[in-house]
Amino acid sequence: MKQSLLRILLVSFLAYSNAGDALACKCQGTSTVHGSVRSADIVFSGEVLSSTITYNYDSLGVEITGDTTDMKFQWRGIPTAVVIIKVDKIYKGKSSSDIITILTSTRGASCGVLFNIGSIYIVYATVTDELPFTDKLKRRTFDCKTFWTHQCTRTQEWNKEEVVELKKIR
């Protein structure tokens, strides 16, 4: 009886405390537009044409390097959103196509960007996946039309204020 009561109290405490925040995406400070541009390999705006989920990195031109033997999870089992974007304007970097593929986590708690089909975004992206769990495992693209992004890069729906700041930097 005492154990049941303790479990109920513990579950209640966790449910009403900030314990859920431990699973949420946490960015290290708020990056400025200038800092985000400097960190990105490409910055562009464009319309989301499609979004699918995959576990098959090999089909995306992604090279995975590093020692995976001591990883505490099955890294190939992590789903990745494959987002196809029609480029409107490039503010930094180069692409070999006016259609860019963006890879991001499928979950907001994993810092993934949840793109809406038909919406226009300003995307800050890199050729290397920079998520926290990839410190020993590197995922990199090489085709100049596939990039990685996450919530901490300033990737966001298009807004005039962000564009004004980007134009100042150019």
Side-chain angles (χ1 to χ4, degrees), residues 10-67:
L10 179 61
V11 169
S12 296
F13 172 76
L14 291 175
Y16 293 106
S17 71
N18 289 332
D21 290 342
L23 301 175
C25 173
K26 300 280 187 195
C27 299
Q28 298 288 333
T30 304
S31 184
T32 63
V33 173
H34 186 268
S36 294
V37 168
R38 189 176 53 232
S39 299
D41 294 313
I42 190 167
V43 179
F44 67 95
S45 62
E47 180 182 356
V48 176
L49 301 178
S50 69
S51 180
T52 58
I53 297 173
T54 188
Y55 296 87
N56 184 2
Y57 301 107
D58 300 331
S59 69
L60 301 172
V62 175
E63 179 182 279
I64 300 171
T65 60
D67 181 13

Side-chain angles (χ1 to χ4, degrees), residues 7 16 18 20 23 27 37 41 53 60 67 71 79-80 83 85 95 98 106 115 129 162 168:
R7 284 186 192 143
Y16 293 106
N18 289 332
L23 301 175
C27 299
V37 168
D41 294 313
I53 297 173
L60 301 172
D67 181 13
M71 302 306 283
T80 297
V83 182
I85 300 177
S95 173
D98 64 343
T106 59
F115 289 93
D129 186 5
E162 190 82 3
K168 286 180 186 176

Side-chain angles (χ1 to χ4, degrees), residues 80-148:
T80 297
V82 180
V83 182
I84 307 300
I85 300 177
K86 170 86 167 109
V87 175
D88 175 53
K89 181 156 184 75
I90 293 181
Y91 299 97
K92 177 189 176 182
K94 294 178 184 170
S95 173
S96 60
S97 173
D98 64 343
I99 302 291
I100 290 182
T101 301
I102 292 295
L103 306 174
T104 191
S105 173
T106 59
R107 300 179 190 115
S110 299
C111 296
V113 177
L114 304 175
F115 289 93
N116 295 312
I117 296 171
S119 294
I120 299 173
Y121 284 80
I122 299 169
V123 180
Y124 296 79
T126 58
V127 295
T128 304
D129 186 5
E130 298 176 340
L131 290 177
F133 66 80
T134 61
D135 60 340
K136 294 181 183 175
L137 180 71
K138 299 296 179 197
R139 302 188 295 183
R140 182 177 172 88
T141 59
F142 293 94
D143 64 4
C144 293
K145 61 182 180 179
T146 304
F147 299 89
W148 298 90

